[in-house]
Amino acid sequence: MAIIGIDLGTTNSLATIYTEDGVKLIRNSMGKALTPSVVGVDDDGNVIVGDVAKERLISHPDMTAAEFKRTMGTDHEYSLGKKKYSSQQLSSIVLRKIVLDAKEFLGEEIDEVVISVPAYFNDKMRIATKQAAELAGIKCERLINEPSAAALAYLHEHEWKDGTYMVVDFGGGTLDVSIIDSFDSVMEIIAVAGNNQLGGKDFNEAIYRHFCEVNGLSDSDLTAEEKAIIYRMSETTKIALSTTPMAVMSVVLHDQKYSLALDNNELIRIAHEVFEKLYEPIKKALKDSRLRPQDLEAIVLVGGSCKMPTVVSYLEKVTGVKPCVDIDSDTAIGFGAGIYSGIKSKNQNLKEVVMTDICPFSLGTSTHDTKTDELIMSFIIERNSMLPCSNMKDYYALYENQTEVKFDIFQGESIIPENNIKLGSISIKCPPTKKHDFIASARLTYDINGILIVDITNADKETTTRTLLDNNVRLSEKEMELIKAKLDQLRFSEEKDEEQELLISRAERIIEESLSIQREILMVALRDFKVAMKYGNTVEKRKAKEEFSAFLDRNESD
Ligand code: ADP
Ligand code: MG
């Protein structure tokens, strides 16, 4: 029985475990550490997860879903063939696969997971994440904020130097900036800021737009598949620019070749908005914690987009501090989640670390301002309060003989309730109350996982408690059962040879991206490979895979 840590990323996910020898990466069924957070359905109706599904994003866009973490906790649905799935359900499929692979890798049952989530994740998103684990039949008691996990991994490597750190996590779809104080085994998040709609994806999009503009391609004339090919090449070009000063991007559409030469200066120019947005949360986090960059022990960079030299130098320019890039930005969060799972299972080798989180946004209710006759916010919990936290405010009757009162609960910083995010409402009955007399008190409690509990108490001392106000979010047991049954029905193609599937999907993708003659050659090679897979013996199959893989490598580097 083991407890593992999972970094459930927008782009990639990763699992780790804490053993007597320290924290270890868990490899998936393909022998890789990172499992792309991509889910698809294959031609036989089997569910596929990870690399194989990612390869099919271009060739089978209608049967594949990616980046669904961006809509966690919302009603947004993704179509996989005829069926529709929410982000939560797709995440549950990813979790199921990761746990299955971990069980195989470790040779033991997994009885619990610790999952990391962006610090900026709101209440709905956190609940949806925990329920995704539940839907996959996995126990998840504890969520850990991604930056806390990164800081934990950093401190674990750097002998726990006390001090204040900034963690900048710039991933595929989210940016999280956190200020963390570590003192005497207590890790305290003192401020967080972020943008859950900013990530590496935005650079890809900037390159995509620039490519189309330079080549006179109009977005509306492109098919979904063509767009996907250009998009994929945009990302490849961006990644190339992390190691080379200049990259040439070329795409073949209808046998015509379109290209673009790009260097990092040009990238900064076309993506200047992304850089500008990058600075905002950094400024906010420093302001909220009343710190200057030079007060920081280190700026720790994590997330795939921090591998971009333009990002590192931009951060150095705006803060005046050289960021630390010596921890692996791909695995830091996963490692932190693993270390935390070790702490949770009370591993002897790990010192007990107390982690305190904060509530990243203010929470309150709308109230009627009698003087201006407008609805305004009454904040009950202030942004950056330490978790768990609880606060109460009293409210008064608006009119004579009021017997009912409704509280709309909002999250956000605006004084105008409408501009904030409504989490839900709760109505209670109360004894007839005179105008301006006490009618009820509202207590908001944010628990250690950042889940909101609302208690409303009337003058008779009767309390109504809700874990979450929005009924759409917290699924009832019955609803959970129904969704679970639906997900349980899914057939996973584990019995299939995943390596073979990956090679076929990869070949199909390269075929779509290639020129006519190369395409013909690839098609012949793919057919031969399929024949070898169908009729070959074990040795022949292994040899065919090796050869076909090398063949694809050569074709892709052309
Ligand atoms: P998430 O936590 O959102 O899953 P990651 O931290 O794995 O995301 O980062 C994924 C993003 O990082 C993608 O947008 C990807 O293009 C980008 N990325 C990964 N490696 C590199 C690299 N070497 N250079 C530039 N960007 C990279
Ligand atoms: Mg991440």
Side-chain angles (χ1 to χ4, degrees), residues 128-316:
T129 305
K130 282 187 115 188
Q131 285 187 336
E134 220 176 297
L135 287 172
I138 310 159
K139 179 169 144 196
C140 173
E141 283 181 352
R142 188 74 170 96
L143 301 175
I144 174 172
N145 278 335
E146 287 169 7
S148 312
L152 199 56
Y154 178 88
L155 289 166
H156 194 67
E157 295 247 312
H158 291 79
E159 296 173 7
W160 293 92
K161 192 158 188 276
D162 282 346
T164 310
Y165 296 82
M166 179 191 277
V167 177
V168 178
D169 177 5
F170 198 19
T174 51
L175 166 68
D176 264 303
V177 179
S178 318
I179 311 263
I180 292 168
D181 189 64
S182 170
F183 184 74
D184 235 9
S185 294
V186 177
M187 267 179 67
E188 185 182 328
I189 298 196
I190 48 180
V192 299
N195 184 337
N196 60 10
Q197 295 294 332
L198 191 72
K201 190 181 146 95
D202 298 286
F203 290 108
N204 306 346
E205 280 162 12
I207 298 174
Y208 174 102
R209 282 195 302 272
H210 188 57
F211 182 88
C212 288
E213 198 186 304
V214 166
N215 286 289
L217 294 164
S218 156
D219 198 58
S220 52
D221 296 341
L222 298 166
T223 65
E225 283 189 8
E226 288 166 346
K227 283 182 196 168
I229 292 171
I230 302 175
Y231 188 81
R232 189 178 168 279
M233 288 312 292
S234 303
E235 178 161 36
T236 307
T237 308
K238 173 190 76 176
I239 292 176
L241 284 175
S242 293
T243 44
T244 56
M246 218 253 308
V248 178
M249 165 174 170
S250 58
V251 173
V252 177
L253 304 172
H254 309 296
D255 286 345
Q256 195 179 335
K257 195 166 175 174
Y258 298 90
S259 35
L260 169 74
L262 200 65
D263 64 15
N264 276 314
N265 284 335
E266 186 70 351
L267 178 63
I268 293 172
R269 190 186 69 78
I270 62 172
H272 67 95
E273 278 178 11
V274 187
F275 286 101
E276 283 151 23
K277 285 186 192 159
L278 185 57
Y279 188 36
E280 283 163 24
I282 293 178
K283 261 195 315 205
K284 183 158 172 255
L286 286 168
K287 187 164 172 261
D288 280 359
S289 53
R290 290 178 290 279
L291 288 169
R292 297 162 307 165
Q294 55 269 41
D295 299 326
L296 301 166
E297 195 65 46
I299 298 180
V300 181
L301 303 187
V302 294
S305 301
C306 278
K307 289 192 208 165
M308 295 172 69
T310 46
V311 168
V312 180
S313 49
Y314 178 79
L315 292 176
E316 182 173 349

Side-chain angles (χ1 to χ4, degrees), residues 100-145:
L100 215 70
D101 284 356
K103 183 179 153 190
E104 192 70 20
F105 181 80
L106 300 168
E108 59 180 321
E109 292 292 330
I110 310 300
D111 59 342
E112 194 182 334
V113 297
V114 170
I115 303 175
S116 57
V117 292
Y120 221 66
F121 250 27
N122 67 28
D123 201 45
K124 287 184 182 183
M125 295 158 159
R126 281 167 200 267
I127 291 199
T129 305
K130 282 187 115 188
Q131 285 187 336
E134 220 176 297
L135 287 172
I138 310 159
K139 179 169 144 196
C140 173
E141 283 181 352
R142 188 74 170 96
L143 301 175
I144 174 172
N145 278 335

Side-chain angles (χ1 to χ4, degrees), residues 7-10 12 69 146 169 171-172 174 303 333:
D7 168 7
L8 185 62
T10 313
N12 294 302
K69 183 177 172 180
E146 287 169 7
D169 177 5
T174 51
I333 291 167

